[in-house]
Amino acid sequence: MTAPDDTAARYRRPVPVLWWTGRRPYLLFMIREFSSVFVAWSVVYLLLLVRAVAAGPAAYRGFMELSASWWMLALNVAALALTLFHTITWFVVTPKAVAVRVLGVRLPAFMVAGPLYTAWIAVSAFVVWLLVR
Amino acid sequence: MAREGRAGPRRRPVEPFLWLLFSGGGMAAAVLVPVLVLLFGVVFPLAGGPPYDHLRAVAAHPLTRVALLGLAVLAFFHWAHRFRFAVEHGLGLGRLDRLIAPLCYGAALAGSAAAAHVLFLTL
Amino acid sequence: MSAEPAMRAAETAGESIVLRVSRYLPGRDAEPVPRDYEVPLREEWSVLDGLNHVKDVLDGSLAYRWSCRMGICGSCGMTVNGEPRLTCGTFLSEFAPGPVVVEPLRGFAVIRDLVVDIEPFLGKLASVTPWLVRNGAEPPPDAEFAQTPEQLGAYKQFSMCINCMLCYSACPVYALDEDFLGPAAIALAQRYNLDSRDMGAAARFDVLAAAGGVWDCTYVGECSAACPKGVDPAGAIQQYKLTAAMETVRRFLLPKGAR
C-alpha cells in the first residue's frame, strides 16, 4: 500500500450556476431577495406620481390614466404580491436576527414579531386614513 | 488563504454601514410599501384616486416629504444590497464584486438624489 | 454454523431497499460514480445501518466516517437524497420504496467515497479563538466562575454544536466561496462572545467582521434548517451583524484614544 496523494486527487463537486432553482428553500430565498426589485420599483412609481402631482392637475390625470392601463396594473399587482412577501419574510426572520433581552432573558419570537405586525397594521391604517378621509 | 479576485480587507470598513442601510430599508419597506402599492397601484387606478388638491396638500406637507425621502433612500439601498448579492451569488459572479457593488450602490445613490430632487425641488 | 446463512435467507426474503452510494477512488475515478446496493429494509435501520451492512456484507471497500450512532459525535453527516443529514438519525423507511441516494457532504472536497476533507473546517473553527480569553485576568486555578442561569442561557444554545458540518453543506455561500468563515465557526465565536466569563470579543471582531466573515452571509437560513442540534447558526450570524455594525459605528464616532 502506498500512501494516497494528499492534495492532487480531491474531487470538488461543481456548483451549478443556477443552484437555487433545484431546491425549494433556495428558490424561496431567491424570490425573497428578488422582491427587493419590486420594493425599488414601488418607490420609483411613487416618485413618478409625486412628480406628476407637482406638475399640476392635468399631469396627475395623465398619471392616473397610465396607472389604470392593463400592463401597469399587472405590474403593480405583481409588486403588491412581492412586497407583501417581503414584509412577511422580513417579519419572520427579524425575531431570529435580533435577540431582544429583557432582564437577561431573551424574549420569545412572538414578542418581537407581535409589535412588528402591530406597527405594520397601524402605519397602513394611518396611510389609508390620510389619503381617503 | 485568500483566493485571487477576492475583495480582501477592502470590503471591511463600509460593509457595516451598507448593512445598516439595507436593514433600515427592509424595515421601512416592510411597514410602508405594501399599503402604498395597494392604494396607488391597484385601488385608486380601479376605483378613482383622491382629489388632486387633497393629494397635493398631503404630498407637499414637510413631514410627508421627509418621510418619503427617508423611505426612498433606505429602500434604494435595500434593493442595492440584495440585488448585489443576488447577482453575485445567484449567477456565480462573486469575483466581479468590485464592479457589481459600485454599480448597485451607485444606482441607489443616484435614485436617492432623484428622489430628493422630486420631493424638494419640483413639488 | 448453520444459523447465519438461514438468517441471511430470511433477510433477503423480506423487504429490501436500494442504497445508491456515491463511490470515488482517487486515481481510478475522475468523478464520483453511483453504485447500487440492496440492503434489508427494516423499520429500525438508519441509513448508517444500511451503509454498515454494505461494508460488512456486500463491499468492504466502502469508505465513510461514523462513530457513536446516536447523534452526538457529528461524524456521519452525508447528503441523503439531496439533503444534508446525520445518517445515524435518518431512517431507511423514510425513503421507501427507494432508492436512497447517499453522497458525501456538499461543499467539501471528497477524499474517497463518502469521506470529505474536514481540514479547512477545522482551520475556520480555530480562527475564531474558541476558548475563554481572560486578558491577563487569569484567576487562580482553584477559583470557580459562577454564572447565573441567565448568563448561561445567553450562550448555551450556541454551545450545543457537534461540528457535524451539515450547516456548511446547506450553505450556498460557502459552496460558492470556500473562504467564507461559515455558520458553525461564527456560532462558535458567539458562544464565547456571549459568555460572561470571556474577554475576547475584540480579538474575534477582527476575524468576524473581516472579508469572509459575517458580511458575506445573505441569511439563506438553510444552515439552521439543517442543524440537528437546534443551534441556529443563521440567527447567531445575524445577531452578530448587529453587534458588529454597532461596534463599527462606535469606533467610527469615538476618537481613537477614547475606545
Side-chain angles (χ1 to χ4, degrees):
Chain A
M1 281 256 315
T2 53
D5 184 340
D6 200 45
T7 51
R10 307 267 152 106
Y11 172 75
R12 289 199 158 272
R13 187 178 179 273
V15 180
V17 173
L18 300 181
W19 51 268
W20 42 274
T21 54
R23 196 166 167 269
R24 197 180 133 85
Y26 290 158
L27 184 63
L28 285 174
F29 158 75
M30 231 7 149
I31 294 171
R32 187 191 83 188
E33 301 301 286
F34 190 69
S35 72
S36 66
V37 172
F38 282 90
V39 167
W41 156 250
S42 304
V43 172
V44 168
Y45 177 78
L46 278 176
L47 290 171
L48 291 175
L49 170 71
V50 171
R51 199 179 65 161
V53 168
Y60 173 57
R61 257 196 317 280
F63 186 87
M64 290 307 282
E65 274 166 30
L66 176 72
S67 69
S69 62
W70 69 268
W71 59 271
M72 189 62 100
L73 268 172
L75 185 60
N76 281 326
V77 167
L80 179 62
L82 276 147
T83 54
L84 279 172
F85 188 70
H86 165 79
T87 299
I88 291 180
T89 50
W90 192 264
F91 289 171
V92 166
V93 299
T94 300
K96 298 173 193 163
V98 184
V100 184
R101 291 198 170 78
V102 175
L103 302 174
V105 181
R106 188 173 167 187
L107 291 184
F110 79 92
M111 288 183 74
V112 182
L116 292 178
Y117 283 102
T118 309
W120 183 29
I121 292 166
V123 168
S124 300
F126 173 75
V127 170
V128 170
W129 171 80
L130 193 66
L131 290 167
V132 300
R133 70 193 143 132
Chain B
M1 270 299 271
R3 284 187 312 190
E4 217 177 329
R6 290 276 309 163
R10 180 186 76 89
R11 285 173 63 172
R12 201 184 129 189
V14 286
E15 219 60 70
F17 297 99
L18 297 173
W19 180 81
L20 284 172
L21 284 169
F22 152 78
S23 300
M27 191 57 81
V31 170
L32 267 170
V33 169
V35 69
L36 290 171
V37 177
L38 175 67
L39 290 178
F40 287 109
V42 182
V43 173
F44 293 161
L46 290 176
Y52 174 79
D53 293 335
H54 176 62
L55 193 57
R56 187 178 173 103
V58 170
H61 193 282
L63 285 179
T64 311
R65 294 187 205 215
V66 170
L68 279 180
L69 181 63
L71 173 67
V73 173
L74 291 174
F76 285 149
F77 274 93
H78 173 82
W79 163 81
H81 199 67
R82 279 200 157 162
F83 195 71
R84 164 193 170 196
F85 282 110
V87 169
E88 289 182 12
H89 293 163
L91 300 176
L93 297 174
R95 64 191 181 282
L96 297 180
D97 180 59
R98 280 160 195 263
L99 179 70
I100 293 167
L103 281 177
C104 290
Y105 299 116
L109 212 55
S112 302
H117 176 79
V118 167
L119 288 164
F120 287 95
L121 294 178
T122 64
L123 189 63
Chain C
M1 286 289 275
S2 62
E4 207 186 319
M7 265 174 62
R8 289 264 169 80
E11 273 175 21
T12 46
E15 275 192 287
S16 66
I17 192 166
V18 169
L19 276 187
R20 186 161 294 162
V21 181
S22 170
R23 300 299 306 266
Y24 172 69
L25 184 64
R28 187 191 67 191
D29 305 317
E31 57 177 34
V33 186
R35 193 179 296 172
D36 286 3
Y37 300 96
E38 197 165 322
V39 302
L41 175 61
R42 293 182 176 168
E43 198 187 354
E44 71 277 15
W45 266 27
S46 65
V47 173
L48 180 60
D49 289 318
L51 290 173
N52 284 340
H53 178 84
V54 172
K55 180 140 181 115
D56 291 348
V57 178
L58 303 174
D59 185 346
S61 70
L62 180 64
Y64 54 103
R65 287 198 182 99
W66 65 286
S67 179
C68 77
R69 293 171 291 115
M70 49 198 281
I72 198 64
C73 76
S75 308
C76 70
M78 297 169 206
T79 306
V80 183
N81 279 21
E83 301 288 320
R85 304 284 288 266
L86 290 182
T87 50
C88 70
T90 305
F91 288 81
L92 291 170
S93 54
E94 187 186 321
F95 307 99
V100 186
V101 182
V102 185
E103 297 164 300
L105 277 181
R106 290 182 184 162
F108 296 95
V110 183
I111 296 175
R112 181 175 168 166
D113 294 341
L114 300 166
V115 178
V116 297
D117 184 5
I118 66 171
E119 289 302 324
F121 169 71
L122 296 177
K124 288 173 197 299
L125 287 186
S127 73
V128 299
T129 324
W131 56 83
L132 292 177
V133 174
R134 291 297 301 170
N135 287 348
E138 203 60 52
D142 57 342
E144 282 183 39
F145 267 120
Q147 282 188 311
T148 66
E150 289 77 24
Q151 287 170 330
L152 174 65
Y155 68 85
K156 189 179 178 202
Q157 176 189 13
F158 302 132
S159 73
M160 304 307 281
C161 175
I162 57 172
N163 300 334
C164 66
M165 313 195 298
L166 297 194
C167 54
Y168 282 74
S169 193
C171 175
V173 179
Y174 180 67
L176 290 163
D177 179 4
E178 60 182 333
D179 291 335
F180 178 43
L181 195 50
I186 299 172
L188 183 65
Q190 275 296 71
R191 178 255 171 272
Y192 288 97
N193 280 340
L194 297 173
D195 192 317
S196 59
R197 302 163 294 184
D198 180 76
M199 298 169 160
R204 287 184 205 103
F205 175 85
D206 292 335
V207 177
L208 295 173
V214 291
W215 304 119
D216 284 3
C217 166
T218 51
Y219 203 169
V220 180
E222 280 304 286
C223 53
S224 294
C227 179
K229 291 290 161 185
V231 172
D232 191 11
I237 297 172
Q238 314 319 310
Q239 289 160 31
Y240 190 75
K241 280 181 188 171
L242 187 58
T243 306
M246 290 309 165
E247 175 64 18
T248 309
V249 171
R250 202 182 65 86
R251 292 186 184 191
F252 184 72
L253 293 178
L254 286 180
K256 259 196 156 46
R259 279 174 203 165

